[in-house]
Amino acid sequence: DSGVTQTPKHLITATGQRVTLRCSPRSGDLSVYWYQQSLDQGLQFLIQYYNGEERAKGNILERFSAQQFPDLHSELNLSSLELGDSALYFCASSPRPGAASEQYFGPGTRLTVT
Amino acid sequence: GENVEQHPSTLSVQEGDSAVIKCTYSDSASNYFPWYKQELGKRPQLIIDIRSNVGEKKDQRIAVTLNKTAKHFSLHITETQPEDSAVYFCAASMNDMRFGAGTRLTVKP
């Protein structure tokens, strides 16, 4: 157990809908990262927050957005969902602001868009 | 941005043999190189990492080497065991973490 929690574990929704994924980092970690992993694919970096502020942006679609709240939990919002958005979404946390440090992954949310 | 290539995509070895996975990166400013192991349906777990001021690091049966000049780094697993079977990801990082496409390692008993 990495100490990072994610909810829900599974999510099934229809195309065009909007969903929110939630992540709570390890105690004391200020950085949260979001990744997308499609079937049999690698990990695509989406976005990073550090202490409430956006710090780095990767291959995140305009239909996706995220935020980190004062209690440091983070939410990833996915809207106008398409079939291709079906994937495992992981969040990870680390204690430092830079990505050049160990990251601890949560168990993931499996999103299925039908 | 950073681009990380990983080879091979699949690797099958006999129990007890060694396994080597190689990665190259494009951004010479990258300074942190972790390796993650992901079992089926599970989260990626950090198994070893190396920073750019170090050429080699070892942890029991696992070692990582880094060649900054050539911009490549490798994961070495010795005395492989069936429980080493998983997908292994390399990554390179400076401002954000970029992952390789993964290597599916199968260790046959």
Side-chain angles (χ1 to χ4, degrees):
Chain A
D1 186 359
S2 66
V4 179
T5 61
Q6 287 186 250
T7 56
K9 194 170 181 179
H10 300 279
L11 198 47
I12 301 174
T13 189
T15 54
Q17 295 298 304
R18 172 190 169 93
V19 297
T20 297
L21 313 183
R22 182 188 169 104
C23 168
S24 292
R26 293 189 321 158
S27 177
D29 284 358
L30 300 179
S31 277
V32 170
Y33 306 80
W34 286 97
Y35 294 91
Q36 180 192 57
Q37 187 175 40
S38 301
L39 189 64
D40 288 338
Q41 296 293 311
L43 290 151
Q44 297 296 319
F45 168 66
L46 296 178
I47 197 164
Q48 180 206 353
Y49 280 82
Y50 176 75
N51 203 20
E53 300 289 327
E54 181 185 306
R55 185 167 176 95
K57 220 168 190 176
N59 304 319
I60 188 166
L61 299 172
E62 284 192 13
R63 300 184 285 110
F64 296 0
S65 65
Q67 54 185 327
Q68 186 179 28
F69 294 88
D71 67 352
L72 301 177
H73 91 270
S74 178
E75 293 181 356
L76 179 66
N77 301 295
L78 314 177
S79 62
S80 303
L81 284 168
E82 302 175 358
L83 295 177
D85 297 328
S86 295
L88 255 177
Y89 290 84
F90 287 103
C91 82
S93 75
S94 75
R96 301 178 186 86
S101 62
E102 57 273 24
Q103 296 182 20
Y104 299 91
F105 281 76
T109 292
R110 183 172 294 281
L111 173 66
T112 302
V113 182
T114 63
Chain B
E2 178 64 273
N3 183 46
V4 179
E5 294 192 359
Q6 183 172 347
H7 301 280
S9 56
T10 61
L11 180 59
S12 182
V13 300
Q14 208 64 39
E15 182 177 2
D17 287 351
S18 294
V20 180
I21 302 171
K22 299 182 179 183
C23 289
T24 60
Y25 61 99
S26 60
D27 189 347
S28 56
S30 289
N31 59 2
Y32 176 66
F33 307 90
W35 286 87
Y36 285 84
K37 175 183 179 182
Q38 187 178 27
E39 296 175 3
L40 190 62
K42 302 264 182 86
R43 74 189 79 196
Q45 290 190 289
L46 180 70
I47 56 171
I48 195 167
D49 56 9
I50 192 167
R51 297 192 181 274
S52 57
N53 58 347
V54 175
E56 184 173 356
K57 185 176 177 180
K58 192 172 181 181
D59 183 3
Q60 300 183 334
R61 297 186 297 108
I62 294 172
V64 57
T65 59
L66 171 66
N67 183 325
K68 282 177 56 180
T69 304
K71 290 190 281 189
H72 67 70
F73 56 114
S74 301
L75 177 71
H76 304 252
I77 306 174
T78 58
E79 301 171 26
T80 53
Q81 301 165 3
E83 50 266 38
D84 294 330
S85 296
V87 178
Y88 291 81
F89 293 98
C90 64
S93 173
M94 199 196 76
N95 293 319
D96 57 46
M97 190 87 77
R98 300 291 170 150
F99 285 80
T103 296
R104 184 176 300 278
L105 173 65
T106 303
V107 181
K108 299 176 184 175

